[in-house]
Amino acid sequence: MNTQHDDIAQQLAAVFLRLDVIMKPWGFAFIAEEIRSSHCGPFASGFYCRDTTRIGISCRTTIDNIFYEHFFITRSAGSTELERFTIGHSTLMDALGYASDCHLIASSKTPDTIIARDGGDRVEALIHDLSVLASRVLCEPCEEFYAIVRRGLRKYSVV
């Protein structure tokens, strides 16, 4: 029994319970991943998924990273093209015009790549940003979100 891994899994579960209040009504479902290790120690992660949009979150003692990604899928007779675009929270907030107003901001301190602007609760800061600032592009599938996410890192493959 690994109590550190159990503690991290419980922290992630607590985070997602708080976020479910917003994400479930928008049609997102949470999918947890296994506890993994990094150079900063073990962490738990998972995704809120709706169709081909995913919001990834990682957690140690609280959330320490978030990213948004969307898969664009083009099917033809002989192949399927997959384009995956990924952006961070700062990119989303900047594109929506809230770079100076958002409550969750980027940090240069590893492993905490996000922090609350006021130094407080990161989950509460994320809840604010999602429900107040980003709801118009995340509450349902939206062309504006697709345009924003296309500004991010692109991975292309054909299967």
Side-chain angles (χ1 to χ4, degrees):
M1 181 175 179
N2 188 330
T3 57
Q4 184 181 25
H5 282 200
D6 292 341
D7 290 345
I8 292 169
Q10 289 173 1
Q11 291 295 334
L12 181 68
V15 166
F16 282 102
L17 279 175
R18 292 174 65 191
L19 292 173
D20 274 352
V21 174
I22 297 168
M23 303 307 288
K24 279 188 174 185
W26 291 352
F28 285 92
F30 174 65
I31 300 170
E33 294 189 321
E34 294 181 17
I35 305 267
R36 295 188 215 161
S37 293
S38 76
H39 64 285
C40 296
F43 67 95
S45 62
F47 290 92
Y48 272 107
C49 302
R50 181 185 63 208
D51 300 322
T52 57
T53 298
R54 300 188 327 167
I55 301 172
I57 295 176
S58 68
C59 178
R60 285 172 174 80
T61 58
T62 187
I63 57 173
D64 54 28
N65 194 11
I66 181 170
F67 62 91
Y68 306 83
E69 68 182 12
H70 185 79
F71 293 81
F72 296 93
I73 302 168
T74 306
R75 291 183 175 85
S76 60
S79 65
T80 301
E81 295 178 48
L82 298 172
E83 286 182 286
R84 181 178 76 190
F85 289 89
T86 306
I87 60 171
H89 189 71
S90 295
T91 300
L92 178 62
M93 292 294 105
D94 184 51
L96 293 172
Y98 296 117
S100 298
D101 303 317
C102 62
H103 289 198
L104 191 69
I105 60 171
S107 166
S108 60
K109 293 186 178 182
T110 304
D112 299 318
T113 62
I114 53 172
I115 58 172
R117 185 182 297 274
D118 66 2
D121 182 353
R122 296 176 203 173
V123 179
E124 191 61 39
L126 178 58
I127 289 170
H128 170 271
D129 288 357
L130 293 175
S131 63
V132 176
L133 306 178
S135 63
R136 77 172 197 253
V137 297
L138 291 175
C139 69
E140 58 186 33
C142 162
E143 290 300 322
E144 184 179 3
F145 176 74
Y146 302 153
I148 292 168
V149 80
R150 282 187 185 275
R151 299 176 186 184
L153 178 66
R154 177 181 183 251
K155 182 177 179 184
Y156 177 82
S157 62
V158 177
V159 290

